[in-house]
Amino acid sequence: MQIGFIGLGSMGSAMALNLVNAGHDVRAWNRSKVAQDSVPGVTLVEFAADAFQADAVFTMLSDDAAIREVILDAGLLESAQPGLTHVVTSTISVAFVRELELLHDEAGLGYVSAPVLGRPNVAASGQLNILAAGKADAIAAIELLLAPLSKKVWKLGENPARANAAKLACNMMIAMAIEAMAEGVVLTESVGLDRADFFELILGTLFSGRAYESYSAQIRERSFEPGFKAKLALKDMRLATKASNDIGRMLPMLEAVREGLGKAVSAGHGEKDWSIMADMTVRGSNSLASSENNSEKN
Ligand code: NAP
């Protein structure tokens, strides 16, 4: 099966390699030059349109704007190979997914939303959780291709927006867990409890989930190599806010973590792992800590 791939960033390069290693013929495009030896076996193509001359194409660009620019504005749907199925694995907005679904229908192409859970190291080991939604025939056309990328494919129905809403909800909840741990550290370190001991306590009792395990380690070690870049996490919190606004709801915890990530990015930490937000809270330098201090002064 001929596969196209658009976007060889941290996630995309790992996923494209796994498709090659599973025996597929992958032609991939990236905006900036990619060294061939970093993606052995992948055929690098000069134009994004070349990647759309395939049976299926994956897109792992950073956000709505990049997909709009590279794919929609450039007319790639109109010039795509007939019968192609497009699998968008990026984390994008619910509203944009609705637009993409409509445009693919009009162009006679298959469309599957397949955002992923898992960081680049998880992508590299082919152990992603993939949240897949789209018409049954579109999913059937690409299902085999998801196997070498994933530990599990969660099929969430025919409405592609479901997969994207679920992905945004997951990231929103991880951000809340990161902030929750940071605020726990603020209270416990203030009375001399070592953060390693505090994390051992919470992981061994009330909070044994994966998000707590993974991000407590980064907060404990103060290690903020991405991972998942804070600027992309801020993008996701904005998308979640937009989705909640569109249904007339304001989600207060979401507002708080979006503000905290915004401060982290404004402070120049956009390329660091999003758990940098916790460090800022612990140090009293993000909006949550400062606004609380301010309200106490007032
Ligand atoms: P990344 O390393 O920053 O890669 C972003 C990719 O998008 C690169 O290929 C970049 O090209 C391309 N790009 C950005 N703007 C573009 C534009 N205007 N035109 C053309 N290409 C453009 O990001 P990533 O970590 O792989 O994340 C990709 C997606 O996966 C995001 O939606 C993210 O939210 C999601 N995601 C990430 C993680 C994670 O832990 N990293 C986990 C799950 C989901 P250049 O190389 O030329 O810059």
Side-chain angles (χ1 to χ4, degrees):
M1 197 167 177
Q2 177 72 59
I3 303 169
F5 208 105
I6 305 265
L8 296 174
S10 317
M11 296 293 287
S13 53
M15 293 165 70
L17 274 176
N18 281 332
L19 288 168
V20 167
N21 292 336
H24 297 294
D25 185 1
V26 179
R27 57 175 70 171
W29 177 87
N30 197 60
R31 172 180 60 178
S32 53
K33 195 166 166 47
V34 170
Q36 180 67 70
D37 59 6
S38 68
V39 281
V42 172
T43 303
L44 296 170
V45 295
E46 194 175 347
F47 303 107
D50 297 335
F52 269 69
Q53 300 309 310
D55 302 302
V57 61
F58 285 76
T59 290
M60 196 39 150
L61 295 172
S62 31
D63 55 19
D64 294 20
I67 295 176
R68 186 175 293 287
E69 180 187 332
V70 172
I71 294 168
L72 302 187
D73 295 350
L76 299 199
L77 300 189
E78 291 74 19
S79 62
Q81 178 168 304
L84 166 145
T85 303
H86 187 191
V87 186
V88 177
T89 54
S90 310
T91 306
I92 55 175
S93 73
V94 170
F96 188 46
V97 167
R98 294 203 177 99
E99 182 184 343
L100 284 175
E101 184 188 21
L102 195 68
L103 292 172
H104 283 73
D105 278 351
E106 284 171 8
L109 304 174
Y111 177 78
V112 174
S113 264
V116 304
L117 299 178
R119 291 189 281 178
N121 61 322
V122 179
S125 58
Q127 292 292 301
L128 293 168
N129 278 284
I130 299 183
L131 318 182
K135 293 195 179 67
D137 54 346
I139 300 258
I142 55 88
E143 200 170 353
L144 271 178
L145 303 178
L146 302 182
L149 308 178
S150 60
K151 177 165 75 177
K152 177 161 178 159
V153 177
W154 301 81
K155 292 192 199 164
L156 301 180
E158 295 234 333
N159 175 2
R162 283 189 182 183
N164 300 85
K167 168 64 189 174
L168 291 176
C170 288
N171 276 15
M172 175 182 88
M173 292 169 72
I174 296 171
M176 291 168 180
I178 290 170
E179 181 58 27
M181 283 187 280
E183 294 185 22
V185 167
V186 170
L187 284 189
T188 51
E189 282 191 343
S190 74
V191 291
L193 182 59
D194 188 272
R195 74 177 69 172
D197 293 335
F198 172 62
F199 285 144
E200 192 179 346
L201 167 72
I202 64 168
L203 295 179
T205 54
L206 299 166
F207 298 97
S208 57
R210 190 153 326 148
Y212 284 90
E213 278 165 20
S214 165
Y215 288 101
S216 65
Q218 293 197 230
I219 299 167
R220 188 185 59 232
E221 304 301 330
R222 300 200 59 240
S223 157
F224 304 112
E225 286 308 307
F228 184 44
K229 293 170 190 164
K231 68 176 187 186
L232 289 178
L234 176 59
K235 176 257 302 180
D236 292 354
M237 297 311 113
R238 287 179 173 149
L239 296 182
T241 303
K242 169 87 171 62
S244 66
N245 288 346
D246 286 349
I247 52 167
R249 298 294 301 269
M250 197 280 282
L251 303 179
M253 288 166 69
L254 170 59
E255 295 285 309
V257 290
R258 194 193 68 233
E259 198 181 333
L261 279 164
K263 288 276 180 179
V265 171
S266 299
H269 300 313
E271 298 294 323
K272 293 186 182 161
D273 190 78
W274 58 336
S275 51
I276 189 70
M277 173 176 67
D279 201 51
M280 294 185 67
T281 293
V282 171
R283 291 159 171 269
S285 55
N286 83 3
S287 60
L288 302 172
S290 28
S291 60
E292 190 159 301
N293 288 344
N294 288 341
S295 67
E296 288 198 354
K297 278 184 206 142
N298 291 339

